[in-house]
Amino acid sequence: QVTKTKRDNPIVLRSALQLSCISRGACIIMGDQDEGGGGFVIIQGARAKVRVQGITFLNASETAVVVSKKAGLSKDGNPALEQVFCECHFFSNNGGEGGAIRADS
């Protein structure tokens, strides 16, 4: 379990990456109970190809995960790379435009 405060920067993912939990229910990113945790993860950049599996996102005071407009979108005309979330759980997240996952457009 990781507790994040608003003062902590979110995790920024910009490349091919798999973030997985091997023990069911054991991997939790949690916002501080008093002030929330801000946002937790930002996915951005043309090479972003992210797979998140088995993570619980709890008590973010902003959107827990933001996928930026150009995440996985190369400039050379190749198909966009996918951002995949499997068996993830989102509880008590309070983003103004989506508390769990927001895909910017």
Side-chain angles (χ1 to χ4, degrees), residues 1-2 4-5 13 27 32-33 39 54 63 69 79 89 95 97-98:
Q1 176 175 316
V2 174
K4 183 186 173 299
T5 68
L13 306 175
C27 300
D32 178 75
Q33 288 292 347
T63 302
K69 181 178 181 177
H89 301 278
E97 294 181 37

Side-chain angles (χ1 to χ4, degrees), residues 3 6 9 14 19 25-26 32 34-36 38 45 47 54-55 67 69 71 79 81 86 93 98 101:
T3 301
K6 276 189 167 182
N9 291 325
R14 294 186 175 99
L19 182 62
D32 178 75
D34 295 327
E35 63 178 30
R47 294 188 320 248
I55 308 294
V67 180
K69 181 178 181 177
L81 302 172
C86 296
N93 298 299
I101 301 173

Side-chain angles (χ1 to χ4, degrees), residues 13-18 43-51 71-72 81-84:
L13 306 175
R14 294 186 175 99
S15 60
L17 177 77
Q18 181 164 329
I43 301 171
Q44 64 184 30
R47 294 188 320 248
K49 181 180 180 181
V50 175
R51 179 182 181 91
L81 302 172
E82 291 183 341
Q83 316 308 320
V84 178

Side-chain angles (χ1 to χ4, degrees), residues 72-74 76-81:
L73 187 60
S74 69
D76 59 9
N78 288 328
L81 302 172

Side-chain angles (χ1 to χ4, degrees), residues 52-75:
V52 181
Q53 184 168 357
I55 308 294
T56 297
F57 298 90
L58 175 65
N59 200 34
S61 55
E62 299 171 15
T63 302
V65 177
V66 175
V67 180
S68 75
K69 181 178 181 177
K70 296 183 180 181
L73 187 60
S74 69
K75 294 177 184 176

